[in-house]
Amino acid sequence: MSVASEVAMAFIINCMGGIVMVVSLIVLGVFIIRLYFLKISKQNEKKILENGGKEYGVANSKRITILHILFYMMCIIEAIVRKTEFDIYGIIGVILIGFSLFMLYTVSNLLKGIWTIKLMLVNNHQYNDHWLFRTVKHPNYFLNITPELIGIALLCHAKLTAIVVLPLYAIVMYIRIKEEERLLKEVIIPNTKNLNI
């Protein structure tokens, strides 16, 4: 990094409130990582549909997307308004965010070409019998999204956002999990049993 860019960065941080800027940059960084995984999801979605797969729960997927973006925006606004300090809550938040991103990478890597943000099944979808999926039902929701949202709320000290948006997010996630459970029972498990016969 050049001296000029270091001076410019120091000036921006001082002008934007130092710690609040760092918190906002962390959230922005997580959002950019999320966009990278969105790109992977879009590529997988296209291949799934081209090969006869199908999307389920379209309306609920839209609700999840809207709430996720709203959550990020409201957390950053709260961090700026509250002039958030980077304290023990922020440290716990960063740890949760780091764990959630590791789990996002792990789950997407285990599912490879069938991992999507949307609820989609490939033609003749099979159950992934990896120990993670046997041990934790819906690891993407419970080990990725949940710690991510809690981590960002803690990092930003976004109490209002957590109180208002998290219950709504819990409702749409409950609907998504019920949709997945139904597909597991009615489509994925029977496909897997038929393959093993």
Side-chain angles (χ1 to χ4, degrees):
M1 188 181 256
S2 72
V3 173
S5 59
E6 286 180 30
V7 170
M9 185 61 90
F11 176 76
I12 291 169
I13 289 173
N14 284 333
C15 289
M16 296 291 291
I19 299 298
V20 174
M21 181 66 173
V22 171
V23 168
S24 298
L25 287 174
I26 292 170
V27 174
L28 180 62
V30 174
F31 191 73
I32 289 168
I33 291 168
R34 274 286 187 180
L35 289 177
Y36 168 76
F37 280 95
L38 175 63
K39 180 182 174 188
I40 293 170
S41 177
K42 290 286 185 192
Q43 292 168 346
N44 291 343
E45 291 167 20
K46 185 178 177 190
K47 288 177 190 170
I48 289 169
L49 292 174
E50 286 172 355
N51 293 318
K54 187 176 175 189
E55 180 180 356
Y56 298 85
V58 176
N60 201 48
S61 289
K62 289 178 183 174
R63 287 185 210 109
I64 290 170
T65 301
I66 290 166
L67 284 171
H68 211 84
I69 293 168
L70 181 67
F71 190 84
Y72 270 74
M73 288 173 39
M74 287 181 63
C75 282
I76 289 178
I77 290 168
E78 254 191 278
I80 292 167
V81 169
R82 292 179 186 272
K83 296 182 169 84
T84 298
E85 301 268 328
F86 191 72
D87 57 8
I88 188 67
Y89 296 109
I91 293 168
I92 294 168
V94 168
I95 291 168
L96 286 171
I97 292 166
F99 173 77
S100 76
L101 292 175
F102 172 74
M103 291 312 302
L104 173 61
Y105 169 79
T106 300
V107 170
S108 65
N109 196 39
L110 287 172
L111 294 175
K112 297 195 186 335
I114 65 169
W115 178 84
T116 62
I117 291 171
K118 296 177 179 178
L119 181 53
M120 301 185 83
L121 296 184
V122 296
N123 222 356
N124 198 26
H125 198 109
Q126 303 295 307
Y127 178 71
N128 186 320
D129 197 32
H130 188 273
W131 70 265
L132 181 61
F133 300 107
R134 286 192 315 265
T135 308
V136 180
K137 275 198 168 193
H138 312 288
N140 196 50
Y141 307 133
F142 294 117
L143 301 179
N144 166 235
I145 293 174
T146 301
E148 174 191 341
L149 297 178
I150 293 170
I152 289 175
L154 287 171
L155 174 66
C156 295
H157 292 237
K159 296 172 193 165
L160 181 62
T161 302
I163 290 168
V164 173
V165 181
L166 282 182
L168 298 173
Y169 210 107
I171 292 167
V172 296
M173 290 311 296
Y174 175 80
I175 293 167
R176 167 61 66 87
I177 288 168
K178 286 296 179 193
E179 290 169 335
E180 279 193 18
E181 287 292 328
R182 183 183 61 78
L183 290 171
L184 268 167
K185 182 179 175 186
E186 295 175 7
V187 179
I188 298 170
I189 300 300
N191 281 348
T192 306
K193 286 180 180 175
N194 290 339
L195 185 71
N196 292 333
I197 295 177

